[in-house]
Every structure is written in structure tokens, then in C-alpha cells.
Amino acid sequence: MTSYVIIGGSAAGISCCEAIRDVDEKGPITLISDEKASLYSRCLLTYLIGGKIDKERLLFKDKDFYKTKNIEALHGVKAVSIDIKKKEIDLDNKKSVKFDKLLIATGASSKRLNIPGGDKKGVFGLRDIIDAEGIMSMLDNVDTAVILGGGLIGLRDAYALKLRGKKVKVIVKSPQVLSQIVDKDAAFIIEKKLAQEGIEVMKGLAATRIDGNDSVTGVTLDDKSKLSCQMVIIGKGVQPNRGLADGTGIKVEDGIIVDNRLQTSVKDIYAAGDVAQAPDITTGGLKINAVWPVAIEQGKIAGLNMAGRDTVYDGSNMMNSTDFFGLAVISIGITKPKESVYEELKYSDRETNTYKKVVLRDNIICGAVLVNKVVNAGVYGVLIAKKVDCTPIKDILLSDNFDYAKILPIVKGFPDKFNKPEFKETVMSI
Amino acid sequence: MKKIFCDITKCVGCKGCEIACAVEHSKAKGLSAALKERPLPKRRVKVSSSDKKILSIHCQHCADAPCILACMSGALSKEKESGKTVHDKDRCVGCWMCIMACPFGAIVRNIEDHIAVKCDLCPDREDFACVRACPTGALFVGTEEEFKKILKKKTHV
């Protein structure tokens, strides 16, 4: 009987457990998580802070998931080191666990900010439920919050605090918000929406110091100006928790390197989720795509392989979907191409806050940005994932009535790529 | 699993399925009363065309459903026995991850309630509203095998 150990209890870890159990009902599974809380969705934390959901709805699996799946879950326990020869993991409670197959799904942590005052009361990152509870416990004493960073996490934090009636200022170094995932045209619409809803975005600035004695009273910026605030949230992105791989011989670059079966450079040890540097479809290289759907898919495929069902991972794309005050934003793949080999098709209507962009290379779609009208985003997504020549439909890619019907000839024409039964079923009668 | 298929050669684009779907998902379950409901009841099928081929686009209830993998709130899940991809509106937060993931564009936004909406295979009735409403028999309920047989028969006639 194969024994499995999963380190990490978020998206990739839980998804892996589920996949193993789909194939292997008996093999013992031990899940180790340094978090006390279990089965909650990190992505929902800003919804909790914003008061849109209660704590119970943070769970993305049933409460009795571990029991029904027969998983021994050790929460509040940290894996300290991996002995790849003995196939054993030392835990911080002085115990150790042996494994036949191991998944490292240790995720990522909020990037810290090296400026004075970062340790004051009222300074937060937002990564786990402890951060969220800390933020919520202080809300009554906060009039103004300053968010450092205009990425997805920073803006989601800003949105949540605005819903709680706080004054919110977002400090962004770049000339636009969401610079990692959308272009300046899309950012323009998003910034306009945020401004309308009362969130002040201050671009081209960075914090040099967090002011106050024990508690935060303000932030000093690099133009020497000062903002008064009672809370600072750092939204400067995340870094992979790859420390466990150090000194083990497991190959590491930005994250833990995995192959197209999510296996690391060491046999029987797999990695998935925000810690894994895995095949990326649009760039063709190895990349960390630290987003929920990718973590779930990687966890699943790692689990299937660990349980002996050989399954190839086709790779992932960077993809993000979010919503600010009813303005939907989706971005997939390469959205800000730098080289001239890329071609951009754009449609923009600033009156209705609508923006669409498709990025192509040699008539193959490799990225898309959609603002407001996001329905059919997945149709672009599948074209990006399958890397098919879109010349026949290029003229209508941005039209209002673009949808799955328009790609039927492509689905029919590339049966090897569109090989899932559901694709075949839609073209069976033509 | 038993699901809804569209015979593209038979669909004439009347949009009867769209109307029947919206009515089935109204409070009143009748056309004239449904038209007065606000917000208007939402359809979960869409009639569209390409190159003179017309079809009704549905949730395919994929065996390996990308929308379920993408759902970060646990709102989308697979019903083991029936194979249905089900959406729990009470768990949905309107993040649109499912819309980003669905290759068929079969999930839409309910803007008023800020949740995703998709085909639920008509839980309140024995048959399916869209199939019942289809005047040409383009929509078919059955397994993939049964659908294949029907198509085969047609080509032999």
C-alpha cells in the first residue's frame, strides 16, 4: 500500500488529496499544515473583510472532508525538513512521518516591505485567516487605511475596506494599477471605477516609512508627503515558500521545479500550487502561476500521478478574474507584450467601461484582457490553451457576438487538440 | 451521462429554447407573468451561429469540468451519481473564475444578484424546458451513444 504525505492544506494540497482518493481509496494520506484553520479559501478573505460573506462560507469543502476522505490532517504543525533518502519528514512537534509519495504544496507568503515602521501595530499583509482576523479586529478604530501596492491583492483589500466604509488610499509605484496583469487601457477603466467609488489611487509613489509609536499613525511617501492613517496593508505580491527544498537536492529556481507530471527533480516528490514552477503554455518555459485555478489543477494532476495514474500536465496560463464594485475584469496569458512579433487587437468603449484586447503571435492567440463584458472569456481561454491558428476568425474575435459557435470550425478542424469528449459532442452533428 | 445535445443541422435559430429556459427559471413559470418579473428571469442557453450553422449552446456538464477546478468558493461541484455540474448560488461570490474557465461560454453573469448562472438541467421538472420547446427536434436528451445513433440513422435515410 502506498502512503502519501501532503505538505500544505490549501488549494493544491486539498485538490491533491481528492485526486488520490479518486484512484486509491486505501493508501494512508497524512496532510500537514502549519495553519490551525483548515479547508478555507484564501481568495475569499477579502470578501470576509468586506462583510460580503461570513466565516462559515470561507470553507470551499465540506467540514467533514478529512473524515469522509479518510485523511489524517495535522493542523498547526510545521514540516521542518525532508530527508529524501529515508523518505521521511521531520515535524516541529518532534515527530516525523514517512512517505512513499510526497507533495510539497507549501504555497507562498506575502512579500515583506523593507521600510522602517513595518512592524508597527496596524500593519498587515493579507494572506491567511490570521491576517484577516487581525484586520477585522481593528476596523472599529480605523478611519483611513493606506494600501501599499496596486496589484490584485492590494486592490481587493482596498475594495473590501471601502465596503466597510473606510477611507482608502492606494499607493502604486507604477504608472497604472494591476500592472502585472492588465495593460494601461484596461487599468484606466478600473482606476476610473475605483475613483468613482471613493478609492484614491496615488500613482508613481512609494512609501519610505510607516509612522507612529507602537501603532500606525501615518505613512511617509518618497515625495516627502505624509498621509495620516490607522492601518497599512502591504499588497506587494507573494513569494514562494520553497525553503523546505533547500539542501535536499530538489531543484529550485524561482519556485520548486516540476516536470509535466508535477514531479520534482527527485523521484516520488511532487510540488503544486504557488510554490511550483511548472510548464507555462504561452511562454513555453517554467513559471509560477500563483492563482487558485492553477493550484487546484496542479494538485489534482500531481495527486493522480502520485496514486499511479499516469497523467500529463499540459501546463497553465497566468489567469485572473475579479470584480470591483460590479466591474468585472478577466485577464489571461500574455497581456502586455513587449516584442513586435506580437499583434494586438483592441476594442475600447470608455462610456460603458468596456474594453477587450486579444494578443496574437503568428495568428495564434496568446493573451486576452476583458473588462466589463467578460462573458465568453473562457472561449478565448481555450484558444490560448490550445494554441491554434485563429486566422479564419480573426476579424470577429472582438465582435459583440463572438462566442463558442464562432470557433466550431476550429474545434472541428483540430480534433487532436480539442480532444475532450465534450468538444467532440458539440461538433458531432456537423 | 444523460445530457442535452444539439443537432446543428436541425436548429433553425428560433430561440424557443432561450425563452423556455428563462420562463422555467422565473418565479411564475409562465411566459406572460415571467415577462413582468424584475429582474427578468435569466436564460442559461444561448442560440448562436457561425458560417450558416446554428446551434444552442449549453453547459456540457463536462466530466472533467474546468469551471469546478476554477471555482474558489466551492459553489460549483460535481454531483457524483448524475454527473451534473451543479452551482450553489448561496456559495457563489461572483468572482467570475468559472466564466474565465468555461471553454463553451456557457456560464453568464446575473448582474442584479452578482452571481454566476448556468444550466441546472431543470431541477423542478421531469423533462427539460429547452428540449420540450424545440420545434424541430434539434435538441436531444440522452447519452452520447444515443445521440450518435440518432445522427447515424439520419445519414442513412
Side-chain angles (χ1 to χ4, degrees):
Chain A
M1 203 156 38
T2 310
S3 67
Y4 307 92
V5 172
I6 317 294
I7 307 176
S10 191
I14 297 299
S15 173
C16 176
C17 290
E18 257 188 325
I20 292 171
R21 277 290 172 259
D22 282 346
V23 181
D24 180 351
E25 286 178 4
K26 297 235 172 72
I29 302 179
T30 308
L31 182 138
I32 300 158
S33 166
D34 59 359
E35 285 190 77
K36 287 215 169 77
S38 61
L39 302 171
Y40 74 94
S41 169
R42 272 179 221 297
C43 305
L44 293 178
L45 291 172
T46 61
Y47 293 83
L48 179 74
I49 294 171
K52 288 205 156 190
I53 60 168
D54 57 25
K55 220 175 145 184
E56 212 152 287
R57 274 181 63 195
L58 277 183
L59 301 191
F60 68 103
K61 291 288 168 199
D62 285 335
K63 274 196 293 257
D64 52 359
F65 176 84
Y66 293 134
K67 206 172 149 200
T68 53
K69 298 281 178 190
N70 190 20
I71 291 160
E72 189 188 358
L74 308 174
H75 277 275
V77 176
K78 199 172 165 58
V80 183
S81 62
I82 305 169
D83 187 326
I84 61 168
K85 288 226 172 69
K86 285 205 262 177
K87 287 193 154 182
E88 195 171 77
I89 295 152
D90 281 338
L91 307 175
D92 66 350
N93 61 6
K94 305 270 191 303
K95 291 183 182 163
S96 59
V97 261
K98 281 190 165 288
F99 64 86
D100 294 318
K101 306 273 178 180
L102 170 68
L103 179 79
I104 304 173
T106 42
S109 305
S110 302
K111 271 189 196 158
R112 300 204 153 258
L113 200 58
N114 280 329
I115 57 170
D119 53 352
K120 291 191 198 306
K121 198 169 163 242
V123 181
F124 296 94
L126 178 58
R127 180 68 192 168
D128 58 30
I129 194 158
I130 295 169
D131 297 330
E133 283 172 342
I135 291 169
M136 287 167 72
S137 72
M138 274 196 61
L139 282 179
D140 286 347
N141 304 318
V142 174
D143 169 68
T144 303
V146 169
I147 315 293
L148 304 182
L152 199 51
I153 301 173
L155 291 193
R156 291 293 316 175
D157 293 339
Y159 177 33
L161 292 172
K162 193 69 214 172
L163 290 176
R164 289 285 189 167
K166 307 300 169 194
K167 288 187 196 118
V168 183
K169 293 175 183 183
V170 183
I171 313 301
V172 192
K173 188 73 204 168
S174 4
Q176 66 161 87
V177 296
L178 300 178
S179 58
Q180 302 284 324
I181 59 173
V182 303
D183 60 8
K184 64 176 185 349
D185 298 299
F188 175 89
I189 295 172
I190 297 161
E191 286 165 14
K192 190 174 82 176
K193 183 74 178 174
L194 295 175
Q196 275 166 1
E197 300 290 343
I199 293 175
E200 190 182 344
V201 177
M202 303 167 75
K203 293 182 283 188
L205 290 166
T208 52
R209 193 175 67 227
I210 295 171
D211 304 316
N213 294 320
D214 290 345
S215 299
V216 175
T217 57
V219 172
T220 302
L221 303 180
D222 56 1
D223 65 351
K224 306 276 191 276
S225 66
K226 283 179 186 291
L227 302 172
S228 167
C229 66
Q230 298 75 44
M231 180 182 277
V232 173
I233 302 184
I234 298 166
K236 288 279 177 191
V238 295
Q239 56 195 22
N241 298 325
R242 59 192 181 203
L244 262 184
D246 287 345
T248 58
I250 296 171
K251 197 176 168 204
V252 171
E253 283 173 17
D254 294 338
I256 297 174
I257 301 289
V258 292
D259 63 14
N260 65 354
R261 283 172 177 78
L262 281 312
Q263 189 166 239
T264 67
S265 60
V266 175
K267 191 172 171 282
D268 295 334
I269 299 181
Y270 295 73
D274 293 4
V275 77
Q277 191 178 340
D280 179 77
I281 296 173
T282 39
T283 61
L286 295 172
K287 191 164 163 271
I288 304 177
N289 286 327
V291 292
W292 184 269
V294 172
I296 295 280
E297 190 183 17
Q298 289 182 351
K300 178 182 167 173
I301 291 173
L304 292 174
N305 282 306
M306 288 161 73
R309 183 176 292 175
D310 185 43
T311 310
V312 172
Y313 178 58
D314 295 330
S316 67
N317 274 311
M318 192 57 193
M319 50 166 97
N320 278 288
S321 171
T322 191
D323 187 289
F324 302 107
F325 304 99
L327 181 73
V329 180
I330 292 180
S331 80
I332 309 173
I334 297 170
T335 56
K336 291 169 81 176
K338 291 193 181 74
E339 299 125 71
S340 60
V341 288
Y342 293 97
E343 178 185 2
E344 293 182 82
L345 308 176
K346 292 184 192 182
Y347 168 85
S348 177
D349 181 0
R350 289 183 173 181
E351 285 286 300
T352 60
N353 282 347
T354 303
Y355 180 67
K356 295 185 203 179
K357 176 166 95 170
V358 172
V359 179
L360 300 111
R361 180 173 183 161
D362 301 329
N363 296 317
I364 292 169
I365 307 183
C366 47
V369 182
L370 302 168
V371 180
N372 199 14
K373 287 189 181 159
V374 295
V375 170
N376 293 309
V379 182
Y380 298 106
V382 75
L383 292 174
I384 295 169
K386 302 294 180 190
K387 290 187 164 181
V388 283
D389 189 321
C390 290
T391 309
I393 53 166
K394 205 168 156 186
D395 294 344
I396 52 166
L397 275 176
L398 296 183
S399 82
D400 251 357
N401 57 17
F402 176 77
D403 59 23
Y404 182 73
K406 309 298 178 291
I407 75 164
L408 282 174
I410 291 176
V411 174
K412 182 94 180 163
F414 295 92
D416 294 349
K417 292 201 172 187
F418 293 86
N419 53 3
K420 285 201 184 190
E422 290 82 10
F423 290 120
K424 294 194 188 303
E425 285 159 19
T426 58
V427 293
M428 217 184 265
S429 61
I430 331 177
Chain B
M1 74 172 286
K2 259 194 163 47
K3 59 185 196 184
I4 300 164
F5 296 91
C6 180
D7 181 345
I8 294 176
T9 59
K10 285 186 179 171
C11 180
V12 293
C14 72
K15 302 201 176 195
C17 54
E18 288 189 0
I19 293 169
C21 180
V23 169
E24 177 60 25
H25 294 93
S26 68
K27 290 191 188 81
K29 308 235 181 221
L31 176 61
S32 53
L35 283 169
K36 293 189 190 106
E37 284 176 23
R38 290 294 177 275
L40 274 169
K42 305 276 179 299
R43 60 168 169 76
R44 293 112 203 274
V45 295
K46 189 191 175 205
V47 175
S48 184
S49 64
S50 151
D51 193 20
K52 292 189 186 134
K53 295 180 183 77
I54 310 169
L55 87 158
S56 167
I57 302 171
H58 291 78
C59 167
Q60 298 294 314
H61 297 273
C62 303
D64 191 5
C67 60
I68 299 177
L69 294 181
C71 179
M72 64 184 206
S73 71
L76 284 160
S77 61
K78 190 53 96 181
E79 214 175 75
K80 276 258 157 69
E81 299 75 36
S82 66
K84 281 185 204 172
T85 300
V86 289
H87 177 252
D88 177 351
K89 65 177 173 39
D90 295 328
R91 300 197 70 92
C92 181
V93 295
C95 69
W96 322 127
M97 287 277 197
C98 52
I99 291 179
M100 175 174 77
C102 175
F104 302 101
I107 307 178
V108 295
R109 292 161 75 197
N110 174 340
I111 290 176
E112 293 88 355
D113 297 333
H114 199 81
I115 52 170
V117 173
K118 69 177 277 301
C119 165
D120 53 8
L121 291 170
C122 295
D124 295 345
R125 56 191 289 163
E126 294 291 308
D127 61 353
F128 304 98
C130 56
V131 180
R132 171 56 69 89
C134 179
T136 65
L139 292 179
F140 169 83
V141 181
T143 61
E144 190 193 336
E145 286 310 308
E146 288 166 341
F147 184 52
K148 261 188 198 158
K149 264 187 211 156
I150 297 250
L151 295 178
K152 220 173 185 181
K153 230 186 251 170
K154 207 177 61 180
T155 51
H156 284 296
V157 172

